[in-house]
Amino acid sequence: MNHKTKAVSLSLAMLVSAFAWNAQSHADEATGVKQSPLMLAEVSSANTFNVNLKKPKSRNLPPAEDGIHDPENEATHSLQHPLDAYKGLPTSEFGNYVDWVKALDEGKLRPRWDRSDPNEEPFVLDLDIVRPVKASVPDVVFPHRQHTEWLYCSNCHPAIFIPQKNANQISMSAILLGQKCGVCHGKVSFPIETKTCRKCHSKPKPAGWTPPLSEATLKNPWK
Amino acid sequence: MSSKIKRNVLKSMIIGVLAYMGALGAPQPAQAEYADIVINNYADAAGMRPAVFPHWFHRIRFRCKVCHTDLGFAFKAGGNKIDMAKIIDGKFCGACHNGEISWSVENCAMCHSGIPGQPTHFHGSTVQRLIAPAYKPLQANDAKK
């Protein structure tokens, strides 16, 4: 390195650090917090799209590539590829990307109701429970039929739900935290996401229904 | 001067390639099948890989009722405190993995197939996908018990 380039790079470095210091002191003034030196690259990358949007790159991967099975374990390579198992089953847009309810209804699957007797039939109860919802989304219909095809009464009653219409407090935040319907939905049965809202919220609101106004709006003197 | 530029270009190319390889080698988020469970209350400590239970595979063969009513699996990943003593007594996985309904227990690596060091967790749950859950997921505490 000759003297000239040394001098140029030195002054460049000083310029950059001066900028950084300047930005740093402004940030300190604004927030009142002492921060670690500001990196210019970090500032720009904070402002991109999809900071919080994580999309899966692919679906139904074979066990050896799925990130939880160890590919160095030889038996991992003997495990079944989900797509081999799902061939011919009705599809969906979420979860396992299989419509498990339709698969039973169409007779494409006949999972056992008893551990060893393939001829035992489930005890199916055909009873819909409608739960009116205060918000603008359609009312919730809970269908016993699809549930009792898979589950027994004691899986839900009385530990998760008291078996009495509207005796249970259910809210969306409880469900998202894994309680009530969220004990299963969002874990094994279909997940809670934009594409599934209408599976539960399936009964349209009566004509002319509008959401109730909040108290703050009703009392608003400037209205 | 021109040789210096060449050297600098070369240097930045090497750095670029290294950074790219680093990004590839960095741990990728798991993309396992929805409802797969890694169970690791004890396995790691005993030098075994964690067990992996695939719901999708079993629900094709059995309704939920078989395991969650008849066999008494509680709805909680890691919550049943499964161990090998219970399995060889015919409880939990051992109710089927006994050489009659399904292949038997000597096929250790079929169940113990997880990447070592993973905590007990439920893969793909809605709770995990929340950007800012307002509470601690159950699974994080379960692993410590």
Side-chain angles (χ1 to χ4, degrees):
Chain A
M1 226 188 228
N2 59 31
H3 284 303
K4 208 169 162 195
T5 44
K6 226 184 221 167
V8 167
S9 48
L10 195 69
S11 52
L12 258 176
M14 279 169 70
L15 201 66
V16 168
S17 53
F19 261 121
W21 188 79
N22 201 9
Q24 174 64 30
S25 50
H26 276 300
D28 288 349
E29 264 165 37
T31 58
V33 190
K34 194 86 190 147
Q35 287 170 338
S36 53
L38 210 83
M39 309 269 284
L40 292 175
E42 257 177 27
V43 172
S44 59
S45 73
N47 302 324
T48 56
F49 273 91
N50 300 352
V51 181
N52 281 326
L53 176 68
K54 291 180 193 75
K55 284 189 183 170
K57 285 193 216 85
S58 38
R59 50 167 81 164
N60 303 122
L61 293 175
E65 294 164 25
D66 70 3
I68 66 172
H69 287 87
D70 190 349
E72 281 166 31
N73 171 29
E74 259 176 59
T76 297
H77 301 277
S78 307
L79 297 175
Q80 199 169 43
H81 191 317
L83 288 179
D84 290 341
Y86 297 163
K87 251 177 225 148
L89 294 182
T91 56
S92 76
E93 280 303 303
F94 36 79
N96 300 113
Y97 304 101
V98 168
D99 189 329
W100 295 104
V101 170
K102 225 171 165 193
L104 280 197
D105 287 350
E106 293 177 352
K108 301 243 165 75
L109 279 184
R110 264 190 66 81
R112 288 186 187 175
W113 180 252
D114 182 80
R115 180 166 50 115
S116 43
D117 180 359
N119 296 317
E120 259 200 52
E121 291 291 331
F123 174 56
V124 178
L125 172 69
D126 196 355
L127 170 68
D128 284 354
I129 308 267
V130 178
R131 306 224 10 152
V133 179
K134 278 203 203 104
S136 58
V137 290
D139 290 344
V140 172
V141 180
F142 171 84
H144 270 90
R145 185 187 69 83
Q146 289 92 316
H147 287 92
T148 49
E149 290 273 5
W150 291 99
L151 295 149
Y152 193 62
C153 320
S154 62
N155 287 134
C156 290
H157 298 309
I160 309 178
F161 302 109
I162 302 161
Q164 193 189 323
K165 201 170 181 305
N166 291 325
N168 302 269
Q169 276 258 351
I170 312 176
S171 74
M172 219 44 228
S173 36
I175 295 174
L176 286 166
L177 296 186
Q179 292 151 9
K180 305 295 169 186
C181 316
V183 170
C184 301
H185 290 282
K187 296 222 173 109
V188 179
S189 22
F190 62 78
I192 319 285
E193 50 187 63
T194 314
K195 283 177 184 150
T196 63
C197 305
R198 283 177 189 279
K199 292 204 95 156
C200 295
H201 293 276
S202 60
K203 188 171 183 266
K205 287 274 198 277
W209 189 95
T210 52
L213 290 173
S214 55
E215 201 144 304
T217 298
L218 291 173
K219 285 191 189 148
N220 184 355
W222 309 105
K223 195 171 59 169
Chain B
M1 196 68 190
S2 77
S3 77
K4 181 175 270 157
I5 293 176
K6 260 191 209 151
R7 221 187 303 143
N8 280 346
V9 168
L10 195 72
K11 215 194 258 170
S12 46
M13 269 169 71
I14 290 172
I15 291 173
V17 167
L18 282 178
Y20 183 66
M21 279 163 57
L24 280 185
Q28 297 283 313
Q31 300 189 35
E33 198 57 21
Y34 183 66
D36 274 4
I37 306 181
V38 174
I39 310 175
N40 191 6
N41 287 329
Y42 320 106
D44 254 5
M48 291 295 287
R49 290 186 172 88
V52 181
F53 173 80
H55 259 105
W56 64 272
F57 184 95
H58 288 86
R59 76 179 291 184
I60 287 176
R61 290 158 179 78
F62 303 95
R63 319 242 175 178
C64 328
K65 174 255 187 191
V66 173
C67 293
H68 291 292
T69 306
D70 300 350
L71 300 178
F73 283 100
F75 286 138
K76 193 168 178 199
N80 294 280
K81 311 244 153 79
I82 304 168
D83 62 30
M84 292 315 291
K86 293 175 185 162
I87 290 178
I88 60 174
D89 280 345
K91 297 199 187 97
F92 298 121
C93 322
C96 300
H97 289 280
N98 54 8
E100 284 170 34
I101 291 171
S102 176
W103 39 260
S104 62
V105 78
E106 65 269 22
N107 297 290
C108 317
M110 288 291 279
C111 294
H112 292 279
S113 62
I115 294 172
Q118 293 178 92
T120 299
H121 73 278
F122 207 93
H123 183 79
S125 80
T126 298
V127 163
Q128 281 172 17
R129 292 192 303 110
L130 297 181
I131 288 160
Y135 68 102
K136 244 190 165 146
L138 286 172
Q139 289 93 323
N141 303 324
D142 292 346
K144 280 182 217 136
K145 276 181 205 152

